[in-house]
Amino acid sequence: MRPVRVLVADDQELVRSALRLVIGRRADLVVAGEAADGEEAVAAAFALRPDVVLMDVRMPGLTGVEATGRILGDWPHADPRPRVLMLTTFDLDEYVHAALRAGATGFVLKDISPDRLAEAVRVVAAGESALAPTVTRRLIGAVAALPPALLAGPPRPGPERGPGEETGTGTGTGTEREGTGRLGGLTARELEVLVLVARGLSNTRIARSLGLSEAGVKSRMNRILTRLGLENRVQAAILAHEEGLVDPARVPPRPPR
Protein backbone atom coordinates (compact mmCIF):
# COMPACT_ATOMS: atom_id res chain seq x y z
CA MET A 1 0.00 0.00 0.00
CA ARG A 2 1.42 3.37 -0.98
CA PRO A 3 1.99 5.99 1.74
CA VAL A 4 -0.44 8.85 2.31
CA ARG A 5 0.87 11.91 0.45
CA VAL A 6 0.62 15.10 2.51
CA LEU A 7 0.89 18.73 1.42
CA VAL A 8 2.05 20.94 4.31
CA ALA A 9 0.78 24.53 4.20
CA ASP A 10 1.92 26.97 6.91
CA ASP A 11 3.43 30.46 6.72
CA GLN A 12 6.06 29.70 9.40
CA GLU A 13 9.12 27.84 8.16
CA LEU A 14 9.83 26.48 11.64
CA VAL A 15 6.37 24.93 11.82
CA ARG A 16 6.74 23.42 8.34
CA SER A 17 10.08 21.91 9.36
CA ALA A 18 8.52 20.35 12.46
CA LEU A 19 5.62 18.96 10.45
CA ARG A 20 8.05 17.50 7.91
CA LEU A 21 9.80 15.65 10.72
CA VAL A 22 6.55 14.34 12.20
CA ILE A 23 5.30 13.08 8.84
CA GLY A 24 8.66 11.88 7.53
CA ARG A 25 9.22 9.58 10.51
CA ARG A 26 6.13 7.53 9.67
CA ALA A 27 6.57 4.84 7.04
CA ASP A 28 2.96 5.19 5.87
CA LEU A 29 3.11 9.00 5.44
CA VAL A 30 5.17 11.17 3.10
CA VAL A 31 5.46 14.92 2.48
CA ALA A 32 4.44 15.57 -1.13
CA GLY A 33 5.18 19.30 -0.99
CA GLU A 34 5.03 22.54 0.99
CA ALA A 35 3.34 25.92 0.75
CA ALA A 36 3.99 29.16 2.66
CA ASP A 37 0.64 30.85 2.04
CA GLY A 38 -2.87 30.20 0.76
CA GLU A 39 -2.13 30.93 -2.90
CA GLU A 40 0.83 28.55 -2.87
CA ALA A 41 -1.32 25.92 -1.16
CA VAL A 42 -3.93 26.07 -3.92
CA ALA A 43 -1.33 25.90 -6.69
CA ALA A 44 0.59 23.08 -4.99
CA ALA A 45 -2.57 21.07 -4.35
CA PHE A 46 -3.63 21.34 -7.99
CA ALA A 47 -0.13 20.39 -9.21
CA LEU A 48 0.77 17.64 -6.73
CA ARG A 49 -2.66 16.05 -6.10
CA PRO A 50 -1.94 15.08 -2.48
CA ASP A 51 -4.16 12.79 -0.44
CA VAL A 52 -4.27 15.21 2.49
CA VAL A 53 -3.57 18.93 2.83
CA LEU A 54 -2.38 19.89 6.32
CA MET A 55 -3.56 23.49 6.27
CA ASP A 56 -2.82 26.33 8.68
CA VAL A 57 -5.89 28.50 9.29
CA ARG A 58 -4.15 31.86 9.50
CA MET A 59 -1.83 32.69 6.59
CA PRO A 60 -1.06 35.99 4.83
CA GLY A 61 -3.10 36.89 1.77
CA LEU A 62 -5.40 33.97 1.07
CA THR A 63 -6.26 32.37 4.41
CA GLY A 64 -6.23 28.64 4.98
CA VAL A 65 -10.03 28.60 5.08
CA GLU A 66 -10.24 30.46 1.76
CA ALA A 67 -7.59 28.21 0.24
CA THR A 68 -9.56 25.16 1.37
CA GLY A 69 -12.66 26.49 -0.37
CA ARG A 70 -10.70 27.08 -3.57
CA ILE A 71 -9.02 23.67 -3.55
CA LEU A 72 -12.22 21.73 -2.94
CA GLY A 73 -14.53 23.96 -4.96
CA ASP A 74 -12.32 24.39 -8.05
CA TRP A 75 -10.62 20.98 -8.12
CA PRO A 76 -9.56 20.58 -11.79
CA HIS A 77 -8.86 16.86 -11.90
CA ALA A 78 -10.98 13.76 -12.39
CA ASP A 79 -9.38 11.99 -9.45
CA PRO A 80 -10.80 12.56 -5.95
CA ARG A 81 -10.22 15.87 -4.18
CA PRO A 82 -7.74 15.83 -1.28
CA ARG A 83 -8.93 15.78 2.31
CA VAL A 84 -8.12 18.93 4.27
CA LEU A 85 -6.99 18.81 7.89
CA MET A 86 -6.95 22.27 9.45
CA LEU A 87 -4.14 23.00 11.92
CA THR A 88 -4.17 26.05 14.19
CA THR A 89 -3.29 27.46 17.60
CA PHE A 90 -6.87 28.72 17.97
CA ASP A 91 -9.98 26.69 18.80
CA LEU A 92 -12.33 29.63 18.23
CA ASP A 93 -15.77 28.75 16.94
CA GLU A 94 -15.63 31.09 13.94
CA TYR A 95 -12.58 29.26 12.58
CA VAL A 96 -14.09 25.84 13.16
CA HIS A 97 -17.35 26.76 11.47
CA ALA A 98 -15.65 28.55 8.58
CA ALA A 99 -13.30 25.61 7.98
CA LEU A 100 -16.13 23.08 8.01
CA ARG A 101 -18.24 25.24 5.71
CA ALA A 102 -15.28 25.35 3.32
CA GLY A 103 -15.26 21.54 3.28
CA ALA A 104 -12.47 20.63 5.72
CA THR A 105 -12.65 17.09 7.08
CA GLY A 106 -10.74 17.72 10.31
CA PHE A 107 -9.58 20.42 12.69
CA VAL A 108 -6.77 19.94 15.23
CA LEU A 109 -4.74 22.26 17.42
CA LYS A 110 -1.00 22.85 17.11
CA ASP A 111 -0.37 21.58 20.64
CA ILE A 112 -1.37 18.08 19.53
CA SER A 113 1.25 15.36 20.08
CA PRO A 114 3.20 14.06 17.05
CA ASP A 115 1.60 10.61 17.31
CA ARG A 116 -1.93 12.04 17.49
CA LEU A 117 -1.25 14.36 14.56
CA ALA A 118 -0.01 11.45 12.45
CA GLU A 119 -3.12 9.47 13.40
CA ALA A 120 -5.35 12.43 12.50
CA VAL A 121 -3.75 12.52 9.04
CA ARG A 122 -4.44 8.80 8.62
CA VAL A 123 -8.03 9.16 9.81
CA VAL A 124 -8.74 12.04 7.43
CA ALA A 125 -7.07 10.22 4.53
CA ALA A 126 -9.42 7.28 5.18
CA GLY A 127 -12.42 9.57 4.78
CA GLU A 128 -13.31 9.97 8.45
CA SER A 129 -13.40 13.20 10.46
CA ALA A 130 -10.77 14.29 12.95
CA LEU A 131 -11.74 16.99 15.44
CA ALA A 132 -9.84 18.01 18.56
CA PRO A 133 -11.85 17.12 21.70
CA THR A 134 -12.27 20.77 22.69
CA VAL A 135 -13.39 21.60 19.16
CA THR A 136 -15.91 18.74 19.15
CA ARG A 137 -17.49 19.87 22.40
CA ARG A 138 -17.76 23.50 21.33
CA LEU A 139 -19.06 22.52 17.91
CA ILE A 140 -21.84 20.42 19.38
CA GLY A 141 -22.73 23.16 21.84
CA ALA A 142 -23.02 25.72 19.05
CA VAL A 143 -24.90 23.57 16.51
CA ALA A 144 -28.12 25.56 16.89
CA ALA A 145 -26.31 28.72 15.82
CA LEU A 146 -24.67 27.27 12.71
CA PRO A 147 -25.51 29.04 9.44
CA PRO A 148 -27.89 27.07 7.18
CA ALA A 149 -25.24 27.27 4.43
CA LEU A 150 -23.24 24.56 6.19
CA LEU A 151 -25.88 22.01 5.31
CA ALA A 152 -27.20 23.73 2.22
CA GLY A 153 -28.39 21.82 -0.81
CA PRO A 154 -31.21 19.37 -1.44
CA PRO A 155 -30.57 15.66 -0.88
CA ARG A 156 -29.08 13.95 -3.90
CA PRO A 157 -30.78 10.82 -5.26
CA GLY A 158 -29.40 7.76 -3.54
CA PRO A 159 -29.22 4.04 -4.28
CA GLU A 160 -32.27 1.86 -3.95
CA ARG A 161 -32.76 0.05 -0.66
CA GLY A 162 -31.77 -3.55 -0.53
CA PRO A 163 -34.09 -6.35 0.59
CA GLY A 164 -35.13 -5.96 4.20
CA GLU A 165 -33.85 -2.37 4.46
CA GLU A 166 -36.95 -0.53 5.53
CA THR A 167 -37.02 2.97 6.91
CA GLY A 168 -37.90 2.80 10.58
CA THR A 169 -36.75 3.33 14.09
CA GLY A 170 -33.18 2.82 15.20
CA THR A 171 -32.38 0.30 17.88
CA GLY A 172 -29.41 -0.19 20.11
CA THR A 173 -28.10 3.39 19.77
CA GLY A 174 -30.24 5.29 22.23
CA THR A 175 -32.69 6.65 19.69
CA GLU A 176 -36.19 5.34 19.04
CA ARG A 177 -37.51 8.12 16.84
CA GLU A 178 -38.62 7.35 13.33
CA GLY A 179 -36.70 9.06 10.54
CA THR A 180 -38.61 12.14 9.43
CA GLY A 181 -37.85 15.18 7.32
CA ARG A 182 -34.39 14.99 5.82
CA LEU A 183 -33.75 11.74 7.68
CA GLY A 184 -36.92 10.06 6.41
CA GLY A 185 -35.09 8.35 3.55
CA LEU A 186 -32.62 6.54 5.81
CA THR A 187 -33.00 2.92 6.83
CA ALA A 188 -33.07 1.91 10.49
CA ARG A 189 -29.49 0.66 10.26
CA GLU A 190 -28.31 3.86 8.60
CA LEU A 191 -29.90 5.86 11.42
CA GLU A 192 -27.96 3.74 13.91
CA VAL A 193 -24.71 4.44 12.07
CA LEU A 194 -25.52 8.16 11.89
CA VAL A 195 -26.11 8.38 15.65
CA LEU A 196 -22.75 6.76 16.39
CA VAL A 197 -20.98 9.02 13.91
CA ALA A 198 -22.53 12.00 15.71
CA ARG A 199 -21.13 10.64 18.98
CA GLY A 200 -17.65 10.71 17.46
CA LEU A 201 -17.07 6.98 16.96
CA SER A 202 -14.71 5.74 14.26
CA ASN A 203 -15.75 3.18 11.66
CA THR A 204 -13.91 0.50 13.65
CA ARG A 205 -15.83 1.25 16.85
CA ILE A 206 -19.14 1.56 14.98
CA ALA A 207 -18.56 -1.83 13.35
CA ARG A 208 -17.81 -3.38 16.73
CA SER A 209 -20.84 -1.76 18.36
CA LEU A 210 -23.33 -2.82 15.67
CA GLY A 211 -21.83 -6.19 14.75
CA LEU A 212 -20.96 -5.06 11.23
CA SER A 213 -17.81 -5.20 9.14
CA GLU A 214 -15.85 -1.98 8.62
CA ALA A 215 -16.64 -2.25 4.91
CA GLY A 216 -20.34 -2.43 5.78
CA VAL A 217 -20.08 0.71 7.91
CA LYS A 218 -18.25 2.59 5.14
CA SER A 219 -20.88 1.53 2.61
CA ARG A 220 -23.72 2.73 4.83
CA MET A 221 -21.89 5.98 5.57
CA ASN A 222 -21.52 6.66 1.86
CA ARG A 223 -25.24 6.02 1.35
CA ILE A 224 -26.09 8.36 4.23
CA LEU A 225 -24.04 11.18 2.72
CA THR A 226 -25.53 10.60 -0.72
CA ARG A 227 -29.14 10.48 0.50
CA LEU A 228 -28.74 13.58 2.66
CA GLY A 229 -26.74 15.55 0.07
CA LEU A 230 -23.81 16.08 2.47
CA GLU A 231 -20.08 16.22 1.83
CA ASN A 232 -18.57 14.57 4.89
CA ARG A 233 -19.08 12.93 8.30
CA VAL A 234 -18.80 16.20 10.16
CA GLN A 235 -21.79 17.67 8.35
CA ALA A 236 -23.68 14.41 8.95
CA ALA A 237 -22.89 14.62 12.68
CA ILE A 238 -24.11 18.22 12.82
CA LEU A 239 -27.37 17.30 11.11
CA ALA A 240 -27.90 14.42 13.56
CA HIS A 241 -27.55 16.84 16.46
CA GLU A 242 -29.88 19.35 14.82
CA GLU A 243 -32.49 16.64 14.32
CA GLY A 244 -32.31 15.61 17.98
CA LEU A 245 -30.93 12.13 17.34
CA VAL A 246 -28.25 12.49 20.00
CA ASP A 247 -28.82 13.15 23.67
CA PRO A 248 -26.51 16.06 24.65
CA ALA A 249 -25.97 14.34 27.99
CA ARG A 250 -24.22 11.51 26.13
CA VAL A 251 -21.61 13.89 24.66
CA PRO A 252 -18.28 13.46 26.46
CA PRO A 253 -17.39 16.45 28.67
CA ARG A 254 -14.42 18.64 27.99
CA PRO A 255 -11.31 17.05 29.52
CA PRO A 256 -9.45 19.01 32.23
CA ARG A 257 -6.39 20.92 31.07
Side-chain angles (χ1 to χ4, degrees):
M1 182 180 296
R2 72 175 180 83
V4 175
R5 301 175 65 251
V6 182
L7 170 63
V8 176
D10 195 289
D11 61 318
Q12 298 183 31
E13 184 175 356
L14 183 61
V15 173
R16 294 199 306 274
S17 297
L19 293 175
R20 277 202 311 271
L21 288 175
V22 170
I23 295 169
R25 288 175 177 173
R26 274 73 184 174
D28 58 336
L29 307 177
V30 64
V31 176
E34 297 181 25
D37 58 43
E39 293 286 356
E40 287 187 11
V42 174
F46 288 171
L48 299 173
R49 305 186 192 187
D51 301 304
V52 174
V53 180
L54 191 55
M55 181 83 76
D56 185 24
V57 168
R58 287 189 170 186
M59 291 189 289
L62 198 69
T63 69
V65 173
E66 293 168 334
T68 296
R70 288 258 300 271
I71 291 170
L72 301 180
D74 301 333
W75 187 245
H77 307 296
D79 49 329
R81 299 174 296 175
R83 310 284 183 175
V84 178
L85 178 61
M86 307 300 297
L87 184 65
T88 184
T89 54
F90 305 94
D91 65 344
L92 303 179
D93 290 337
E94 58 264 33
Y95 294 110
V96 179
H97 298 167
L100 297 179
R101 285 198 300 271
T105 308
F107 195 109
V108 294
L109 307 183
K110 286 185 177 179
D111 62 0
I112 191 173
S113 70
D115 286 342
R116 290 182 61 190
L117 177 59
E119 182 59 25
V121 170
R122 297 184 187 103
V123 167
V124 166
E128 300 188 40
S129 57
L131 291 174
T134 56
V135 172
T136 302
R137 183 177 181 276
R138 295 177 69 171
L139 178 63
I140 291 171
V143 158
L146 284 173
L150 181 60
L151 296 173
R156 295 188 294 265
E160 295 297 325
R161 296 184 183 85
E165 284 195 322
E166 297 296 333
T167 301
T169 58
T171 58
T173 58
T175 177
E176 296 182 356
R177 71 190 293 277
E178 185 173 351
T180 58
R182 292 190 67 180
L183 304 181
L186 300 184
T187 68
R189 189 57 111 182
E190 287 164 359
L191 282 171
E192 291 178 327
V193 170
L194 179 58
V195 168
L196 296 182
V197 166
R199 290 182 183 161
L201 272 65
S202 66
N203 283 351
T204 300
R205 292 181 62 192
I206 292 173
R208 189 181 306 126
S209 175
L210 298 181
L212 300 170
S213 66
E214 285 192 53
V217 174
K218 289 181 181 179
S219 175
R220 286 174 172 83
M221 194 65 237
N222 287 336
R223 289 203 298 269
I224 289 169
L225 296 178
T226 298
R227 287 173 175 167
L228 298 179
L230 304 177
E231 293 293 332
N232 56 53
R233 295 166 67 97
V234 177
Q235 292 181 349
I238 291 170
L239 179 59
H241 282 280
E242 286 187 325
E243 292 289 325
L245 284 182
V246 182
D247 181 357
R250 300 288 297 275
V251 178
R254 182 173 183 164
R257 292 186 181 275

